[in-house]
Amino acid sequence: MSIPTPETSIPLVCAVDRDCELLPAYRSVAETRGLSFRFFTSTSELRDAVSLNRIMALVLDLQADRDHAISLQRELLQNEVPTSVILTTDDRHSDEAIESIGLGAIALLPRPWDPELMSRYLKYAEVQYQEQRKLNCKLVALRKILDGLTVRQRKVLELAATGMPNKLIATRIDVSQRTVESERSRLLEAFNARSYADAMIRFGEYRVLEQIEKIHRRTVLHRLGMHAV
């Protein structure tokens, strides 16, 4: 769930499509949603012009660049770039369409695509992208705090999170109860928390986010394994 910081604050939509006459329609849908937009006729053009980690949503015409479209989608997955892929195709039952959906594409739209439907999927992609960014920023911030703790502080934190009282924590890690109380005070400072309950909540958030990250990575590996070249 690694989400790079984008080079622009405006989410970027890119389209790879064989039909240049669709450029105004793509631009209209993107700009109506307040999104930045770039149009390409091949994935190689896109790669030369745009850093992949900038792309919030990628619309792929499977017939435009059949082999490279799937390769690009696999690369986005491998690099954990949070790009939503929307497919457009003349053949919704083609092997490429089935593989792309298996790799996590959020939509498969028949051509000619409906602007209103495209707009709805771009809205979904934007919401998903922003939510993933928020979660990642929170995880990065909490991980930085935990990385700054001493080994003893981390032990106190983990044991206190189980509900263990200071006296038992002191016995478990072979220090005095006063030392445990001192370490708990330092933990409050580290988490910038008003109370130890607040610190425990933030530590709990970290554990949840860490599990989400692990599940995401397992999902990516499963998708790539199921659709290995």
Side-chain angles (χ1 to χ4, degrees), residues 5-187:
T5 302
E7 298 169 22
T8 176
S9 59
I10 302 176
L12 176 63
V13 176
C14 290
V16 176
D17 200 297
R18 78 196 105 146
D19 188 355
C20 294
E21 292 184 2
L22 287 174
L23 172 56
Y26 276 118
R27 180 175 287 130
S28 176
V29 172
E31 291 181 352
T32 297
R33 299 215 56 81
L35 304 170
S36 181
F37 175 73
R38 300 286 300 275
F39 183 90
F40 306 94
T41 57
S42 70
T43 58
S44 60
E45 284 183 12
L46 181 149
R47 289 176 182 275
D48 290 341
V50 179
S51 173
L52 294 183
N53 66 2
R54 283 193 57 202
I55 305 173
M56 178 203 79
L58 175 63
V59 184
L60 283 175
D61 169 16
L62 283 179
Q63 276 68 39
D65 204 352
R66 192 180 296 261
D67 295 332
H68 293 112
I70 299 298
S71 176
L72 177 57
Q73 194 177 353
R74 292 181 62 84
E75 184 177 341
L76 289 169
L77 267 179
Q78 289 168 340
N79 294 336
E80 298 187 20
V81 180
T83 301
S84 293
V85 176
I86 301 170
L87 308 174
T88 69
T89 180
D90 298 318
D91 182 3
R92 301 178 69 180
H93 302 290
S94 68
D95 291 341
E96 291 80 11
I98 294 170
E99 181 175 359
S100 188
I101 289 294
L103 288 170
I106 65 170
L108 179 59
L109 305 183
R111 297 172 69 90
W113 45 265
D114 176 24
E116 184 178 345
L117 189 58
M118 179 70 77
S119 179
R120 288 207 298 265
Y121 277 113
L122 288 180
K123 179 180 179 179
Y124 172 82
E126 184 178 5
V127 170
Q128 185 178 59
Y129 184 81
Q130 298 297 355
E131 286 302 313
Q132 286 178 328
R133 279 180 50 76
K134 288 178 185 177
L135 290 176
N136 187 69
C137 288
K138 183 176 287 188
L139 178 59
V140 169
L142 290 171
R143 187 167 281 157
K144 184 176 180 180
I145 292 172
L146 291 168
D147 287 344
L149 300 180
T150 66
V151 173
R152 187 164 67 190
Q153 286 168 349
R154 184 64 182 257
K155 288 180 179 178
V156 170
L157 177 64
E158 290 175 349
L159 292 172
T162 68
M164 186 177 293
N166 291 349
K167 185 175 181 180
L168 286 179
I169 293 174
T171 301
R172 178 70 65 87
I173 65 176
D174 195 24
V175 296
S176 69
Q177 186 171 334
R178 179 164 298 203
T179 296
V180 172
E181 292 167 353
S182 177
E183 294 291 28
R184 287 179 68 133
S185 296
R186 292 189 181 98
L187 288 171

